[in-house]
Amino acid sequence: MSTQSKTIPPKIIMVTGGACFIGSHVVRLLVNKYPGYHIVNLDALTYAGNMANLKDVGKAPNYTFEKGDITDEARIRELFEQYHFDAVIHLAAESHVDRSIMDPLAFVKTNVLGTAILLHAAHAAWKKDPAGKLFYHVSTDEVYGSLGKEGFFTEETPYDPRSPYSASKASSDHFVMAWYHTYGMPVILSNCSNNYGSNHFPEKLIPLMINNILHHKPLPVYGKGENVRDWLFVEDHARAIDTIFHHGKTGEKYNIGGFNEWKNIDIVNLLCGIMDKKLGRTPGESAQLITYVKDRPGHDLRYAIDATKLNKELGWKPSLQFEEGLEKTVDWYLANQDWVKAVTSGDYQNYYAEQYVKR
Ligand code: NAD
Ligand code: TDX
């Protein structure tokens, strides 16, 4: 028996949404770091899911991909019977606030019903012997609502979601805790701030701006660009999930954040500066593309996470400075234009026209 299998017993883990931005980084970390685990990636491959995100681990012996929808109850039950999962790490979701304003019921279906179906199936499979089992739910800081200029979200901050996306994630968090209190299901929850990094779908602020700067397209800043987000490098989020999954306390929740607040307009200007240099443009050239557009309805003013609990209890902290992470991210997008072209063809053009051109 190897040293590793003595300290960490082998686990069969279902990762939902493993083909997505954050999910792919979580799957990569687990597959590479724990060769004794079997990672089963269940993903419906919606517009946001992309097998190309996992090209490097696709053939690993401890990795299996299963195409499937978390709202398909029969399929989820079959997978539990087939694999006898020890744990679920649940990331699959509809995740974009602007899309939730266009089509809220899709968010209720996947984020609320899909989570409840997973919990129901896990409970059915685990109720006789819950020892060593874990349902880890990956959630967002948006469940806490909007901060004013001062203060931080802690684990005790009351939920106050304000968009269909955040309401659906808040609801899923409540279902997870309901299964814990009612059925004794072993659960852990984490609520993370805005992620950035490679493989981020270019509907979100940072990759959308990188792509538009590159192609000399207008840079659509909502409202006055004064809204504040707390940014975390995606690989730091994946490390936090690994830490919480292995060392967190059952029934508890952990906030994850970057201690890194930025106004949107300052990020866009920073990206313009980085890209002017990398693309050999005159300083200030890309910033001329900045275009203030109609604000997002119900736009949350500020998010800021207090991640002290995770730092003090489990020793996690972010590894990268924002400027360094942003530069790495820009480099990745410039070096992976085939990936960008593939995800911005077809449906992306329809979404872009609906969100930015027609309104
Ligand atoms: P994403 O939008 O990039 O990808 C979502 C993934 O879920 C895709 O792979 C998609 O194919 C899959 N999926 C969607 N519906 C599904 C269904 N019905 N069945 C199975 N798979 C389905 O997501 P992301 O931005 O990487 O976020 C991942 C998770 O992390 C989400 O739960 C999100 O709420 C949470 N989160 C995201 C951020 C962020 O900044 N992006 C921050 C905090 C928390
Ligand atoms: O074109 C844009 N212009 C703009 O000004 C876009 C796409 C965004 N914005 C603003 C809106 C927000 O204030 O930038 C900020 C960031 O926007 P998004 O990238 O859409 O992220 P946000 O709405 O903050 O939500 C993200 O963080 C929390 C993720 O999408 C969620 O999945 C996560 O839970």
Side-chain angles (χ1 to χ4, degrees), residues 93-113 162-169 171:
E94 290 294 339
S95 74
H96 190 37
V97 174
D98 293 323
R99 287 187 194 253
S100 82
I101 296 166
M102 287 177 188
D103 184 10
L105 295 188
F107 284 66
V108 176
K109 188 175 176 206
T110 290
N111 299 357
V112 184
L113 181 63
R162 293 155 33 101
S163 74
Y165 165 66
S166 53
S168 69
K169 290 297 289 188
S171 173

Side-chain angles (χ1 to χ4, degrees), residues 292-331:
Y292 290 94
V293 299
K294 200 170 141 205
D295 209 352
R296 173 185 278 175
H299 196 173
D300 290 339
L301 177 67
R302 177 172 162 257
Y303 305 143
I305 278 278
D306 179 347
T308 306
K309 174 177 174 180
L310 178 57
N311 176 249
K312 289 256 159 68
E313 291 185 12
L314 305 183
W316 174 92
K317 58 176 192 233
S319 71
L320 275 191
Q321 290 298 314
F322 190 51
E323 286 83 348
E324 188 190 348
L326 217 48
E327 190 148 347
K328 274 177 93 157
T329 304
V330 170
D331 286 341

Side-chain angles (χ1 to χ4, degrees), residues 16-24 42-50 53 68-71 90-96 109-111 114 137-142 165 169 190-196 199-201 203-204 231 234 237:
T16 72
C20 74
F21 165 48
I22 300 171
S24 61
L42 170 73
D43 198 300
L45 297 181
T46 68
Y47 78 93
N50 189 343
N53 292 345
D69 190 320
I70 56 168
T71 66
H90 175 35
L91 294 108
E94 290 294 339
S95 74
H96 190 37
K109 188 175 176 206
T110 290
N111 299 357
H137 181 56
V138 175
S139 193
T140 171
D141 59 358
E142 300 200 15
Y165 165 66
K169 290 297 289 188
S190 60
N191 296 77
C192 188
S193 64
N194 288 59
N195 285 213
Y196 71 98
N199 309 87
H200 202 182
F201 194 81
E203 63 188 350
K204 309 281 169 59
W231 293 92
V234 62
H237 187 187

Side-chain angles (χ1 to χ4, degrees), residues 11-231:
K11 284 191 196 302
I12 307 169
I13 305 174
M14 174 200 270
V15 178
T16 72
C20 74
F21 165 48
I22 300 171
S24 61
H25 288 279
V26 171
V27 166
R28 177 174 301 103
L29 184 155
L30 295 174
V31 166
N32 290 335
K33 186 168 172 187
Y34 304 103
Y37 288 7
H38 181 189
I39 307 301
V40 180
N41 172 10
L42 170 73
D43 198 300
L45 297 181
T46 68
Y47 78 93
N50 189 343
M51 293 298 276
N53 292 345
L54 283 167
K55 265 196 312 218
D56 54 328
V57 295
K59 293 206 167 84
N62 62 336
Y63 171 75
T64 306
F65 176 72
E66 291 281 358
K67 187 165 190 291
D69 190 320
I70 56 168
T71 66
D72 179 347
E73 192 180 350
R75 174 94 169 106
I76 298 300
R77 276 190 185 261
E78 270 168 29
L79 288 170
F80 270 90
E81 277 161 24
Q82 181 181 346
Y83 287 101
H84 304 285
F85 297 114
D86 299 302
V88 175
I89 303 181
H90 175 35
L91 294 108
E94 290 294 339
S95 74
H96 190 37
V97 174
D98 293 323
R99 287 187 194 253
S100 82
I101 296 166
M102 287 177 188
D103 184 10
L105 295 188
F107 284 66
V108 176
K109 188 175 176 206
T110 290
N111 299 357
V112 184
L113 181 63
T115 302
I117 284 175
L118 283 170
L119 287 162
H120 192 56
H123 176 57
W126 296 344
K127 64 185 171 196
K128 282 208 185 100
D129 184 16
K133 308 292 193 294
L134 185 62
F135 191 102
Y136 184 136
H137 181 56
V138 175
S139 193
T140 171
D141 59 358
E142 300 200 15
V143 298
Y144 298 121
S146 182
L147 289 166
K149 290 204 159 69
E150 305 282 311
F152 295 91
F153 297 134
T154 71
E155 287 79 2
E156 277 72 47
T157 303
Y159 278 26
D160 185 21
R162 293 155 33 101
S163 74
Y165 165 66
S166 53
S168 69
K169 290 297 289 188
S171 173
S172 66
D173 292 10
H174 290 315
F175 273 102
V176 170
M177 291 314 294
W179 255 256
Y180 171 70
H181 290 295
T182 308
Y183 305 111
M185 162 93 81
V187 305
I188 290 190
L189 235 149
S190 60
N191 296 77
C192 188
S193 64
N194 288 59
N195 285 213
Y196 71 98
S198 64
N199 309 87
H200 202 182
F201 194 81
E203 63 188 350
K204 309 281 169 59
L205 179 77
I206 289 178
L208 185 140
M209 293 298 168
I210 294 174
N211 196 37
N212 285 15
I213 293 170
L214 182 62
H215 296 291
H216 297 279
K217 283 174 68 177
L219 308 179
V221 174
Y222 297 163
K224 295 185 177 145
E226 298 281 314
N227 303 65
V228 172
R229 298 291 183 263
D230 171 1
W231 293 92

